[in-house]
Amino acid sequence: MCGIVAYSGKQDCAKLIIEGLKKLEYRGYDSAGISLQKDNKIITLKALGRVDNLEILVNKEKGQCFCAIGHTRWATHGKPCVENSHPHNDCHNQISIVHNGIIENYASLKAELEAKGHIFKSQTDTEVVAHLIEENLKTLDFTHAFCQTIKQIRGAYAICALYVKEPGKIMVAKNQSPMVLGVAKEGVFLASDVPAFLEHTNKAVFLEDGDIAQIEGPFYKIFDAELKEQTRKVNEVNWDFTTAQKGGYAHFMLKEIHEQPQSAQDTLLTLKAGLKDSFGLTKEEAKKIKGIYLVACGTAYHAALCAKYMLEDYAQIPVEVETASEFKYRKIAFCKDWLFIAVSQSGETADTIAAIKNAKAAGLKVMSVCNVLGSTITRLSDITLYTHCGPEISVASTKAFTSQLVVLYSFALNLSFALGHLEKASFDKFYTSLEKLPKLMKQVLVQEEKIKQIAKKIYAKNDFIFLGRNSAYPIALEGALKLKEISYLHAEGFAAGEIKHGPIAVIEEGTPVLALVAKGPLEEKMLSNCQEVKARGAALITISDDMALTDAVQVPFEQEFLFPILSAIVLQFFAYYIAVFRGRDVDRPRNLAKSVTVE
Ligand code: AGP
């Protein structure tokens, strides 16, 4: 997730773009860049870190500029460094582009372009777009060369491009990444999000997937891929700035719950774009793996617990899961041919870092699943598999959690295939199901109002029980943690089979019990547990992918292994609305920090 801001019109725009990028830093902030079109040149400036560092360079520029494109980066391909920052240019600095998303087929395109003599300066997927336009300009004008380029790339993208020979014109393409036009009196803004231009205009035109736009401020045209003109509604956005940063949602947490289809999709696309044999491990290395240590904290620990079931079921490999704070003090007789995997959204959790150092000292290969490229944990790891959620602002982790599961499930399927436990046909079937996740998540998100109404009935309670079996048991733990950390209420997750060994004693008249009833061999047992708690007066709420359970909050069924991810979204909504009804500071809950960098 990156931030794009561009402008073409009658206003001197360098400062407009810098201010706009600052308002989008919540979308990424490891580097920033701008291309200024002036004096028949394209001047590209880049700086590591925050937009302030770029502003210092821009302030040194003399003269005015009426057309420019800017970008603040959340690194996905290629580490955070000036060379990998956007904008990216072609071989002769005639073209400049900024991009938000993932070019899935970049590797093959890059190879073809290098064979034609193109010299690449970065490790990013984005740079191929600039060189493709350059190649197409040999036979087409800028507009058609840009359209031809868009036909050649696959993936998620929002792209803005400049061409030195057509000053004032910005070509734009949008597919699965956001791009909105801000229609002002004297010019047109382009941005990933409304806050970038809201102080200049509240007239917003939201581009749709497949749209191509040609901006020559204050005019703009929108086309489809065949350059057939399209009309898009001009919306009046009446949000204040803070609300706009939250995309109109009341809290970042709610926005990030709704971003999960996008983050799951971006993560899946990146895994596919970078697909190697079982993720950074050669087949020979994969075959040597005799077991896996999975280590993490908090929500990431619950993702690790979920992955344990997947790895044991599909890769048929022993897995040991431990919280990092416990792992680092255990006297473990490490098995040298076990793989150590750390899971962390921030990549800066002190306990997880300490556990990694212990594993490295024991000579284990270390893999991490992380959301922040260049963070400490990624630099300590031999291999890192990235989630692609963009910055997760709310303290309560939501989109990072489901994307961690996407990565870990993908790894488990690849490892299973590499170890010969899955035939290619079965691998393809399961992977195709995994790739349906963004669509399935959207079917859960539309139940928000129903979940809100149920939460309204139970928010005044003080004790909440979550039950699950097998891979839904970690989701019971996660649902309890989400509720605890933002509502400050007592909530506990249990393996449902355990309640008769003690916990059922806490159930009394009206105790809310949220039961995760997954279709499959354990469904009947879960339903018995539901009857047991109901008989003792529990206010039972079931979450299920069995459409026959009509009184449940239903999630769609695709594959058994997807139930944990989809049911987690339901529990995120429950936690969110109970906390809201309790009047809590949802995004900044008391006593907590987004990243626990102390042991
Ligand atoms: C999750 O909602 C919490 N904010 C917390 O448990 C978090 O998951 C934990 O601190 C681990 O953080 P990390 O993923 O950045 O390592």
Side-chain angles (χ1 to χ4, degrees):
M1 177 200 266
C2 303
I4 289 174
V5 182
Y7 176 86
S8 170
K10 298 191 168 59
Q11 283 190 281
D12 182 6
C13 66
K15 283 205 176 317
L16 298 180
I17 289 186
I18 289 293
E19 289 316 311
L21 288 175
K22 286 179 180 177
K23 296 189 173 76
L24 295 191
E25 280 191 307
Y26 63 85
R27 298 180 60 87
Y29 42 73
D30 57 43
S31 63
I34 191 169
S35 279
L36 306 167
Q37 191 159 40
K38 57 188 210 177
D39 313 329
N40 292 320
K41 287 200 300 286
I42 290 177
I43 299 160
T44 298
L45 306 168
K46 303 180 181 185
L48 262 186
R50 313 296 292 226
V51 175
D52 290 340
N53 300 337
L54 177 66
E55 186 172 26
I56 294 166
L57 302 179
V58 169
N59 288 342
K60 291 176 185 162
E61 283 297 311
K62 300 281 175 278
Q64 293 186 310
C65 168
F66 303 100
C67 180
I69 58 176
H71 185 275
T72 181
R73 186 171 184 239
W74 183 266
T76 52
H77 272 84
K79 64 181 187 303
C81 63
V82 171
E83 294 72 26
N84 289 336
S85 312
H86 302 211
H88 287 288
N89 305 108
D90 63 318
C91 301
H92 303 97
N93 285 337
Q94 304 265 307
I95 296 147
S96 183
I97 67 126
V98 289
H99 165 231
N100 174 25
I102 293 115
I103 310 290
E104 195 183 311
N105 60 333
Y106 84 96
S108 55
L109 291 171
K110 184 170 178 176
E112 286 165 26
L113 289 159
E114 284 176 325
K116 289 177 182 169
H118 289 261
I119 310 290
F120 283 77
K121 301 183 269 296
S122 80
Q123 306 143 339
T124 66
D125 55 332
T126 301
E127 193 182 349
V128 291
V129 178
H131 292 274
L132 272 178
I133 296 172
E134 179 183 21
E135 197 59 30
N136 290 325
L137 276 169
K138 290 175 182 170
T139 53
L140 299 164
D141 63 36
F142 180 35
T143 300
H144 289 87
F146 182 82
C147 291
Q148 177 56 25
T149 299
I150 297 307
K151 286 179 182 166
Q152 291 168 283
I153 64 176
R154 276 201 327 271
Y157 48 80
I159 294 171
C160 295
L162 297 178
Y163 178 39
V164 72
K165 291 180 181 164
E166 298 201 28
K169 181 190 276 190
I170 304 175
M171 289 304 298
V172 187
K174 188 258 188 241
N175 187 47
Q176 301 174 26
S177 290
M179 181 60 79
V180 53
L181 275 64
V183 186
K185 255 202 305 302
E186 296 190 316
V188 177
F189 289 86
L190 291 154
S192 306
D193 229 342
V194 167
F197 55 71
L198 197 53
E199 65 181 292
H200 304 289
T201 177
N202 70 345
K203 290 182 175 45
V205 178
F206 294 89
L207 293 185
E208 295 179 15
D209 285 352
D211 281 357
I212 287 178
Q214 180 175 300
I215 317 295
E216 290 180 274
F219 307 107
Y220 68 91
K221 282 183 187 165
I222 298 170
F223 309 100
D224 65 10
E226 304 314 318
L227 285 177
K228 185 165 154 295
E229 202 150 347
Q230 310 283 312
T231 48
R232 293 284 178 257
K233 183 168 179 280
V234 180
N235 302 276
E236 299 244 328
V237 176
N238 298 314
W239 294 332
D240 61 46
F241 170 66
T242 315
T243 308
Q245 270 207 313
K246 295 171 196 166
Y249 293 103
H251 298 96
F252 276 110
M253 182 176 174
L254 189 58
K255 180 183 180 215
E256 288 160 1
I257 290 173
H258 282 276
E259 281 178 342
Q260 291 181 102
Q262 184 73 49
S263 50
Q265 174 172 279
D266 290 349
T267 300
L268 282 162
L269 276 173
T270 304
L271 291 172
K272 200 164 179 183
L275 192 62
K276 303 183 196 62
D277 38 326
S278 25
F279 294 103
L281 295 173
T282 62
K283 253 200 179 63
E284 293 60 44
E285 286 170 327
K287 286 189 161 50
K288 284 186 199 144
I289 296 172
K290 295 292 173 282
I292 293 177
Y293 297 106
L294 266 166
V295 175
C297 299
T299 289
Y301 168 68
H302 297 148
L305 279 174
C306 269
K308 170 188 166 74
Y309 291 91
M310 191 73 177
L311 285 160
E312 288 173 344
D313 288 356
Y314 287 83
Q316 296 170 35
I317 196 165
V319 178
E320 185 178 328
V321 185
E322 182 63 278
T323 57
S325 54
E326 283 298 306
F327 184 88
K328 67 185 184 182
Y329 296 114
R330 281 179 47 192
K331 301 283 175 285
I332 296 175
F334 281 112
C335 312
K336 285 267 184 299
D337 45 12
W338 279 40
L339 175 66
F340 179 97
I341 302 181
V343 185
S344 174
Q345 186 284 128
S346 63
E348 299 301 341
T349 300
D351 287 330
T352 310
I353 291 169
I356 290 172
K357 288 178 178 170
N358 286 11
K360 286 174 79 77
L364 296 183
K365 185 185 262 296
V366 172
M367 176 184 279
S368 59
V369 175
C370 189
N371 192 41
V372 183
L373 206 145
S375 57
T376 303
I377 284 176
T378 63
R379 284 182 279 112
L380 286 170
S381 304
D382 301 305
I383 308 162
T384 297
L385 306 181
Y386 286 101
T387 51
H388 287 281
C389 316
E392 189 176 62
I393 309 293
S394 189
V395 165
S397 184
T398 51
K399 61 179 182 176
F401 174 69
T402 48
S403 285
Q404 284 161 359
L405 288 179
V406 168
V407 172
L408 289 163
Y409 281 15
S410 210
F411 174 72
L413 290 173
N414 274 282
L415 186 60
S416 167
F417 177 57
L419 296 177
H421 299 308
L422 262 190
E423 294 298 315
K424 182 78 173 64
S426 306
F427 172 83
D428 290 343
K429 181 184 79 172
F430 291 129
Y431 213 92
T432 303
S433 291
L434 187 59
E435 291 181 320
K436 288 179 185 169
L437 197 55
K439 185 164 57 63
L440 298 167
M441 286 173 152
K442 287 174 185 166
Q443 294 176 42
V444 181
L445 294 174
V446 298
Q447 302 205 56
E448 177 179 356
E449 186 54 34
K450 175 179 179 178
I451 298 164
K452 178 180 176 182
Q453 293 313 316
I454 297 171
K456 197 175 270 183
K457 295 191 183 105
I458 59 173
Y459 79 92
K461 298 291 183 184
N462 293 311
D463 298 290
F464 291 77
I465 303 293
F466 293 77
L467 301 178
R469 283 178 177 262
N470 197 266
S471 59
Y473 164 45
I475 304 304
L477 298 175
E478 172 58 13
L481 174 64
K482 281 279 102 41
L483 183 57
K484 269 194 278 260
E485 65 175 325
I486 62 174
S487 69
Y488 318 152
L489 293 168
H490 170 247
E492 271 193 274
F494 295 106
E498 270 300 290
I499 55 166
K500 55 186 172 299
H501 299 285
I504 199 163
V506 304
I507 307 285
E508 54 192 27
E509 191 59 32
T511 303
V513 174
L514 292 90
L516 298 161
V517 184
K519 257 176 90 168
L522 296 174
E523 181 171 356
E524 286 312 311
K525 291 236 180 291
M526 266 311 293
L527 290 172
S528 310
N529 294 136
C530 292
Q531 290 313 313
E532 286 161 18
V533 296
K534 229 174 151 175
R536 287 150 181 88
L540 178 67
I541 297 154
T542 50
I543 296 99
S544 180
D545 55 358
D546 181 347
M547 294 306 134
L549 300 183
T550 50
D551 61 344
V553 178
Q554 285 175 339
V555 299
F557 179 83
E558 169 65 28
Q559 289 289 347
E560 287 180 20
F561 69 76
L562 292 177
F563 178 68
I565 300 179
L566 297 169
S567 56
I569 298 174
V570 175
L571 300 187
Q572 292 166 358
F573 274 136
F574 267 119
Y576 173 77
Y577 278 106
I578 288 170
V580 165
F581 292 136
R582 285 255 174 172
R584 302 300 188 207
D585 182 353
V586 171
D587 285 331
R588 287 177 301 281
R590 70 185 183 195
N591 310 336
L592 296 178
K594 182 60 189 169
S595 176
V596 183
T597 54
V598 291
E599 291 193 36

